[in-house]
Amino acid sequence: MNIVYLDGKFLPINQAAISPMDRGFLFGDGIYEVIPSYEGQLVGFNLHLQRMRAGLSELKIDISITTEEWLEIITELIDQNGKKNLGIYIHVSRGADTKRFHAYPEETNPTIFAYTFEIPPAPIADKAVAPRFSCATAEDKRWKRCNIKSTSLLGNVMHFQWGYERNEDEVILYNETKEITEAAACNVFIVKDSLIKTPLLDHQKLPGITRALVLDILQKHSNHKIEECTIKLDEIYSADEIWLTSSTKEIAPVTKVDGRKIGTGEIGNVWLNVQTLFCDHRFDY
Ligand code: PDD
């Protein structure tokens, strides 16, 4: 039985319950994180917590849990659920109110929830076993605060579902001026003539931790040329390589977009190089 953490207690998932007046349930009023753990080793723990704190501060949700306490909670969950390859989901909502009223209530106790789910083993840099992603593209119809990792994910869910119904693995999104923002649940990178590009961060994109790790690892440990810049939809079709990054996928090569082959239609050599570096350095963070 999956053991979860809820408001100070560790308990079996079927005993975990929250109030229907929880603002996370009523309004999606909360922040979440997903942190990968491979056989007990976390990737990017401090960066994930920093992003969560930034989100909570945007929402003016105050919690007193320290970084050390988060680490204790997560370590206990990993121990209780077996040191497998796990995604650690942590979630803080504003908590339950006595009525449904849009403005933030004066006093609520935030609801704090964490649970684990199994993820595949840490990806290896091997073209023979790496998954090949097929994506569609669509106009980004989400809200204009995608930099906040809010639990209000309906926009992302609807985009993802649209792709899923078309047997696509993900949907690459572009804004009204045909600039790539991100994908429904990942950040996007492209490679053209050996230059690695990813959209510059702003309110239209989540500042992905995997994205940040890729950029940092490349800057510190390679001579690859990298640019954070505008990427137009057209550049997607003519890219040599495309990758999607997220905590549960790391660097996923995309070989098809809107039914068109990307590059040779096979996983590229820059991916191989970058995933190799990522494997060497993922636990530095
Ligand atoms: N999704 N953009 C969006 C919209 C995301 O939902 C995610 C992650 C990312 C990548 O961020 P990171 O590298 O920090 O995981 C980008 C998570 C994994 C999820 O919702 O399950």
Side-chain angles (χ1 to χ4, degrees):
M1 174 66 71
N2 195 341
I3 300 297
V4 306
Y5 172 90
L6 181 64
D7 294 334
K9 296 197 185 80
F10 291 90
L11 67 178
I13 193 159
N14 59 1
Q15 289 172 27
I18 59 160
S19 163
M21 295 309 286
D22 194 286
R23 287 178 59 102
F25 180 62
L26 293 177
F27 293 115
D29 185 355
I31 294 289
Y32 79 103
E33 279 294 327
V34 177
I35 311 173
S37 165
Y38 297 112
E39 289 167 16
Q41 261 192 293
L42 294 166
V43 179
F45 168 72
N46 283 309
L47 294 169
H48 281 279
L49 269 206
Q50 272 168 30
R51 182 174 64 186
M52 179 172 220
R53 290 196 196 292
L56 289 170
S57 146
E58 286 266 4
L59 267 55
K60 301 195 173 113
I61 296 177
D62 247 351
I63 54 164
S64 54
I65 303 186
T66 63
T67 301
E68 292 68 38
E69 286 165 340
W70 273 119
L71 193 56
E72 278 168 29
I73 293 168
I74 291 172
T75 308
E76 182 67 24
L77 279 180
I78 293 173
D79 286 349
Q80 297 231 21
N81 289 293
K83 281 204 168 93
K84 297 167 286 215
N85 302 306
L86 299 170
I88 317 288
Y89 177 86
I90 60 178
H91 172 134
V92 178
S93 80
R94 196 178 305 278
D97 197 0
T98 50
K99 57 185 182 304
R100 183 179 174 276
F101 178 59
H102 287 63
Y104 304 160
E106 292 271 300
E107 274 183 28
T108 48
N109 286 328
T111 301
I112 298 172
F113 172 62
Y115 91 109
T116 63
F117 58 97
E118 276 199 61
I119 57 172
I124 55 168
D126 182 349
K127 289 186 189 181
V129 297
R132 286 146 176 76
F133 272 62
S134 171
C135 296
T137 60
E139 186 173 341
D140 196 338
K141 299 272 177 61
R142 301 171 304 159
W143 71 333
K144 295 201 170 70
R145 295 180 180 195
C146 292
N147 54 314
I148 301 174
K149 199 164 170 68
S150 156
T151 54
S152 316
L153 281 176
L154 195 54
N156 302 61
V157 166
M158 289 175 76
H159 278 307
F160 194 90
Q161 177 65 23
W162 179 85
Y164 186 75
E165 284 167 8
R166 285 157 184 75
N167 287 322
E168 298 291 3
D169 301 304
E170 249 289 16
V171 180
I172 296 176
L173 303 171
Y174 55 85
N175 66 15
E176 61 285 355
T177 53
K178 298 255 176 347
E179 293 167 5
I180 300 301
T181 56
E182 56 179 345
C186 298
N187 291 113
V188 178
F189 283 75
I190 72 166
V191 182
K192 181 68 185 174
D193 300 329
S194 306
L195 176 63
I196 300 171
K197 302 209 271 186
T198 189
L200 203 59
L201 292 179
D202 60 18
H203 62 281
Q204 304 172 92
K205 302 126 199 165
L206 184 78
I209 304 303
T210 320
R211 175 190 183 279
L213 298 194
V214 168
L215 293 176
D216 199 59
I217 289 170
L218 287 176
Q219 265 148 18
K220 288 191 176 136
H221 304 285
S222 86
N223 294 321
H224 282 292
K225 276 194 265 144
I226 318 157
E227 215 181 317
E228 292 177 78
C229 56
T230 300
I231 300 175
K232 289 284 200 175
L233 177 60
D234 294 354
E235 296 180 62
I236 288 286
Y237 305 119
S238 58
D240 300 327
E241 297 185 28
I242 299 178
W243 319 322
L244 300 177
T245 63
S246 90
S247 294
T248 48
K249 296 188 185 68
E250 280 195 354
I251 311 167
V254 176
T255 52
K256 203 159 65 157
V257 176
D258 292 336
R260 305 193 212 175
K261 265 201 245 171
I262 298 305
T264 60
E266 260 312 310
I267 297 178
N269 289 329
V270 185
W271 173 83
L272 187 61
N273 211 263
V274 174
Q275 181 65 56
T276 304
L277 286 166
F278 201 94
C279 292
D280 292 344
H281 295 286
R282 61 164 77 86
F283 296 120
D284 298 355
Y285 297 88

